[in-house]
Amino acid sequence: MELQHIVLPKLKQADVADYVLQGGQIASVNDFLGLSGSLIDQTYKLLQAYDPTGEELALLHSVEVAAFAPLTKTQHLDQLVRRGFDSQQVANALTLSLALNVNQRVKSTILNEHVIFNPYVWGSGQVEIASFLKTLGPNERDVMLGVCEQAARSPGLALENVADTSPRIMSAARKVGLIQATTVRSSGNSEPQTYIFSPTLEMEDDKLQTTETLHQRKLFVAHILYGHEKAKSGGGRIYDPALLVQRLIERGTVGPASNIGTDYHLLEAQGIVSVDKSSGKAFLNLVKEEIAVGGLAWLEQTLDSESSSSTSVKLSRAPSRFTTPEYDRSVIPDDAAANEVVQSAVLRLREEVQRASRREVPFK
């Protein structure tokens, strides 16, 4: 009865499913998951079919903001108010998110208030990141949060395409881990390119069980996007990255192309692909299908988000070097903002040691 009179009508209203009744009984059900829109869009349409209250919508926005970046409670509530909710709605929404444990808070003695964050995205460093964001002016902070949202919606966004953000702020954001960056360099004469990823990707994909798997997917996507944006004539230029990866998944191999024999050594070393030259021509064989499948989803998401601003789809030589997010953070020179974050972390550790020595709290 619930399925027939409550669930299915709402699914149909949201264009997620359709059904046929015969003799008062359910005869058939067809679902349109991922067909009439992205899963997130369909979920939101289904939510709208239930006429959510402003407080319930504010709760979802609170979870999203906390996933984009850890913020002080004041800044978190301010972001929700800027999204069109009143002060009472955002206060109740934050309380609900904490009660449901989808958001968490930690008291910062340095900032003298709580830091709000999504525990499924930010496993550590919440206070340090919130400290960094607090050093920014209101406009700079809004721009930085916009970059975080861009990185979440477009995995592998080229750093050079991020506008209105100073190199100093982006460098500090990468240093504290607010965004993750990978740099690829071609074996040819092309300039290196840096791509940014959001930590929210780790939360959104249940199949990513290890950090190594996540890095391999970034490696795969970064190589494809590097070619997409830095293509050269000759050598097997690929004009549709998503189609290439789709064919690679379906057939297990693509080619022949001369670039395949020279440009995929790093992917080979990671065991993601293999190169077959036995016939005298180079073919690319897929080894780790799960990496390519996940990478295809990221590529489609990124290419769709960029389709309105770019009509060309290119793929060039694959790079010969890949920089992991951890290495990227380690080589970024410290600037004033980053140094302030580090100093705050050191002061926090000192305070914890002092409290432990006085037996105020157990030291962990």
Side-chain angles (χ1 to χ4, degrees), residues 334-349:
D334 294 329
D335 58 16
N339 280 332
E340 183 171 347
V341 171
V342 173
Q343 291 171 4
S344 298
V346 172
L347 289 174
R348 182 184 175 208
L349 288 173

Side-chain angles (χ1 to χ4, degrees), residues 110-166:
I110 298 172
L111 299 175
N112 197 32
E113 64 176 313
H114 284 101
V115 172
I116 308 299
F117 64 96
N118 188 309
Y120 301 100
V121 179
W122 307 102
S124 61
Q126 303 92 347
V127 173
E128 290 81 357
I129 294 175
S131 298
F132 160 68
L133 290 172
K134 192 171 183 178
T135 63
L136 304 179
N139 293 335
E140 288 181 323
R141 187 183 305 116
D142 287 343
V143 170
M144 192 69 256
L145 292 175
V147 171
C148 294
E149 183 173 356
Q150 280 185 285
R153 301 191 188 285
S154 302
L157 178 67
L159 185 59
E160 66 179 20
N161 294 335
V162 178
D164 303 325
T165 305
S166 71

Side-chain angles (χ1 to χ4, degrees), residues 119-284:
Y120 301 100
V121 179
W122 307 102
S124 61
Q126 303 92 347
V127 173
E128 290 81 357
I129 294 175
S131 298
F132 160 68
L133 290 172
K134 192 171 183 178
T135 63
L136 304 179
N139 293 335
E140 288 181 323
R141 187 183 305 116
D142 287 343
V143 170
M144 192 69 256
L145 292 175
V147 171
C148 294
E149 183 173 356
Q150 280 185 285
R153 301 191 188 285
S154 302
L157 178 67
L159 185 59
E160 66 179 20
N161 294 335
V162 178
D164 303 325
T165 305
S166 71
R168 177 187 66 83
I169 293 178
M170 290 300 297
S171 178
R174 290 159 59 188
K175 187 75 175 179
V176 300
L178 182 58
I179 58 174
Q180 299 175 346
T182 61
T183 301
V184 287
R185 293 174 172 83
S186 173
S187 57
N189 298 323
S190 298
E191 296 180 357
Q193 181 87 296
T194 298
Y195 299 91
I196 61 175
F197 296 85
S198 169
T200 60
L201 298 174
E202 301 179 34
M203 173 188 69
E204 293 172 353
D205 197 329
D206 294 334
K207 295 182 180 179
L208 296 178
Q209 301 292 339
T210 66
T211 300
E212 180 183 5
T213 302
L214 183 66
H215 286 346
Q216 286 184 350
R217 183 182 294 187
K218 292 176 182 176
L219 171 67
F220 184 83
V221 170
H223 277 66
I224 298 298
L225 289 176
Y226 183 88
H228 167 56
E229 297 170 354
K230 298 288 185 179
K232 290 183 178 180
S233 299
R237 173 187 289 185
I238 302 166
Y239 291 92
D240 191 333
L243 180 60
L244 167 71
V245 176
Q246 185 175 355
R247 292 293 182 267
L248 183 62
I249 295 171
E250 293 174 351
R251 303 171 182 173
T253 184
V254 293
S258 58
N259 280 345
I260 292 177
T262 58
D263 295 339
Y264 293 90
H265 300 304
L266 187 55
L267 291 181
E268 276 194 286
Q270 292 288 326
I272 301 172
V273 300
S274 66
V275 175
D276 182 7
K277 302 180 184 177
S278 59
S279 63
K281 298 180 180 180
F283 290 82
L284 191 67

Side-chain angles (χ1 to χ4, degrees), residues 40 57-70 76 80 83 97 102-103 118 121-122 145 148-149 152-153 200 203-204:
I40 292 178
L57 289 175
L59 169 62
L60 295 181
H61 282 266
S62 176
V63 174
E64 182 179 53
V65 169
F68 286 151
H76 183 91
L80 297 181
R83 294 186 175 205
S97 72
V102 290
N103 282 345
N118 188 309
V121 179
W122 307 102
L145 292 175
C148 294
E149 183 173 356
R153 301 191 188 285
T200 60
M203 173 188 69
E204 293 172 353

Side-chain angles (χ1 to χ4, degrees), residues 1-12 46 50:
M1 293 295 292
E2 290 182 356
L3 179 64
Q4 181 173 338
H5 297 287
I6 300 177
V7 177
L8 286 177
K10 292 296 184 182
L11 292 175
K12 184 174 183 178
L46 180 59
Y50 280 93

Side-chain angles (χ1 to χ4, degrees), residues 11-18 30-43 45-46:
L11 292 175
K12 184 174 183 178
Q13 181 180 342
D15 198 24
V16 176
D18 196 5
N30 294 317
D31 75 90
F32 310 133
L33 288 175
L35 297 179
S36 60
S38 69
L39 189 59
I40 292 178
D41 291 337
Q42 289 180 325
T43 302
K45 288 177 64 177
L46 180 59

